């Protein structure tokens, strides 16, 4: 059974930090890219960051560059998203996803259940 389990969300004040985790199982982790997406109320889901487990390449949305850092622990099949200098506009449900062929620009095969991040002003 494929599982992507997010954790680490919560409530934080503006300027604070959170670290999200995405634990993957049930598929060949090394063949995939793992992306973080977010969806705020009334808005479309958007890509935030991604890492190719295959080659280590990373992607960041312009809105989070310099504030968020994505990393992976391949021994644990886990991807992390370190979020610093959080802003109220970062408030959203954050989802991790498994993208095929190790590419951050390929289709999403698997989705996690999401974790809420709320940044208060």
């Amino acid at each position: 059974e494929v599982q992507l389990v997010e954790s680490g969300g919560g409530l934080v004040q503006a300027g604070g930090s959170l670290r999200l985790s995405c634990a993957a199982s049930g598929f060949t982790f090394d063949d995939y890219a793992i992306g973080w997406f977010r969806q705020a109320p009334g808005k479309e889901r958007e890509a935030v960051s991604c890492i190719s487990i295959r080659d280590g390449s990373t992607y960041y949305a312009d809105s989070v560059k310099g504030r968020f850092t994505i990393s992976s622990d391949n021994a644990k099949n886990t991807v992390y998203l370190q979020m610093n200098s959080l802003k109220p506009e970062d408030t959203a449900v954050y989802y991790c996803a498994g993208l095929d062929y190790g590419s951050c620009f390929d289709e999403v095969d698997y989705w996690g259940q999401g974790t809420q991040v709320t940044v208060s002003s």
Side-chain angles (χ1 to χ4, degrees):
E1 179 188 7
V2 172
Q3 283 193 313
L4 290 168
V5 180
E6 302 99 332
S7 60
L11 173 64
V12 64
Q13 288 189 331
S17 298
L18 285 173
R19 189 177 81 155
L20 304 183
S21 299
C22 174
S25 61
F27 61 96
T28 306
F29 188 70
D30 291 356
D31 288 345
Y32 275 73
I34 303 295
W36 285 98
F37 296 75
R38 66 186 181 187
Q39 187 166 22
K43 295 188 176 181
E44 293 188 356
R45 189 174 297 187
E46 63 174 348
V48 175
S49 183
C50 180
I51 184 167
S52 170
I53 306 304
R54 176 175 288 181
D55 64 18
S57 59
T58 58
Y59 160 85
Y60 295 95
D62 287 344
S63 58
V64 306
K65 280 181 182 176
R67 300 188 298 123
F68 291 10
T69 303
I70 194 168
S71 61
S72 68
D73 184 337
N74 295 356
K76 296 182 179 180
N77 283 12
T78 299
V79 169
Y80 304 98
L81 186 67
Q82 179 67 43
M83 306 187 296
N84 298 330
S85 302
L86 282 162
K87 305 175 182 180
E89 50 264 45
D90 294 317
T91 295
V93 177
Y94 284 70
Y95 300 88
C96 71
L99 297 95
D100 209 348
Y101 305 110
S103 169
C104 287
F105 303 99
D106 215 286
E107 292 185 358
V108 173
D109 280 355
Y110 312 117
W111 288 99
Q113 83 286 352
T115 186
Q116 176 70 46
V117 171
T118 303
V119 184
S120 63
S121 57

